Amino acid sequence: DAGITQSPRHKVTETGTPVTLRCHQTENHRYMYWYRQDPGHGLRLIHYSYGVKDTDKGEVSDGYSVSRSKTEDFLLTLESATSSQTSVYFCAISESGGSRYEQYFGPGTRLTVT
Amino acid sequence: AQSVTQPDIHITVSEGASLELRCNYSYGATPYLFWYVQSPGQGLQLLLKYFSGDTLVQGIKGFEAEFKRSQSSFNLRKPSVHWSDAAEYFCAVAVSKMRFGAGTRLTVKP
């Protein structure tokens, strides 16, 4: 895992509570991504960022928001967690230009919503 | 619709046997193509990538993949599987955004 950390690594929370997951990189890469991984679905893109304060939606963005105030940090927030958001969440990073699609992944955060 | 298909959910091979994992995609243009591997409880590790040029690409851990435009495929191969190759393998395709297949779980028999 090339200079990418995620916190927390495990979290159990109750339905209706807000949750924030953090991704931190030391590679100074421009792009950062949040994915969720569920059995039978592979990884699905939630949101991504192409620079500080620049973000865009992925294919499963409903119920999630993101923020990026510094190059190295990308936060994913579940405003009001639901059981359908129980999943493993992965952060990824990539450089700009021709390497933009070459993504490197963090270790993941396992989130359980009860 | 754009899609990435890994037809095999689970494959079992004997140690030392050859391996081929299939990946097909449906995109209007030729996308960038990737294979990732995920060991249990771990993140994804990039095995290899195809952007352009030679359609046979070499990756880490002795893996290779061949891009076949006419078949819209990017199959992953390894001539001799080791027990440590047991993991889940994901094909990924990128045009404007990355899209992943559902994954193939590989079991290696001793």
Side-chain angles (χ1 to χ4, degrees), chain A residues 1 9 35 37 40-43 45 48 56-59 90 98 100-107, chain B residues 32 34 36 38 41-46 49 51 88 90 94-103:
Chain A
D1 301 329
R9 294 292 313 278
Y35 291 89
Q37 182 178 31
H41 291 278
L43 276 78
L45 181 65
Y48 70 100
D56 201 356
K57 296 179 179 180
E59 61 179 302
F90 287 97
R100 179 199 159 180
Y101 296 113
E102 190 170 328
Q103 297 180 17
Y104 296 90
F105 285 79
Chain B
Y32 299 126
F34 305 84
Y36 285 85
Q38 183 182 34
Q42 304 295 313
L44 279 72
Q45 181 182 21
L46 180 64
K49 61 184 183 284
F51 285 1
E88 187 144 24
F90 293 93
V95 175
S96 58
K97 295 175 185 173
M98 186 86 93
R99 187 178 291 268
F100 286 80

Side-chain angles (χ1 to χ4, degrees), chain B residues 13-26:
Chain B
V13 299
S14 297
E15 190 167 16
S18 63
L19 171 70
E20 183 170 28
L21 303 182
R22 297 182 291 164
C23 175
N24 295 95
Y25 63 89
S26 174

Side-chain angles (χ1 to χ4, degrees), chain B residues 54-99:
Chain B
D54 192 346
T55 56
L56 183 64
V57 294
Q58 303 296 320
I60 62 172
K61 304 185 180 188
F63 285 92
E64 66 178 27
E66 186 172 14
F67 168 56
K68 292 185 176 180
R69 185 189 307 272
S70 61
Q71 299 177 18
S72 297
S73 69
F74 188 56
N75 293 350
L76 182 71
R77 300 195 294 247
K78 187 170 186 178
S80 177
V81 170
H82 188 262
W83 65 265
S84 60
D85 293 324
E88 187 144 24
Y89 292 80
F90 293 93
C91 177
V93 172
V95 175
S96 58
K97 295 175 185 173
M98 186 86 93
R99 187 178 291 268

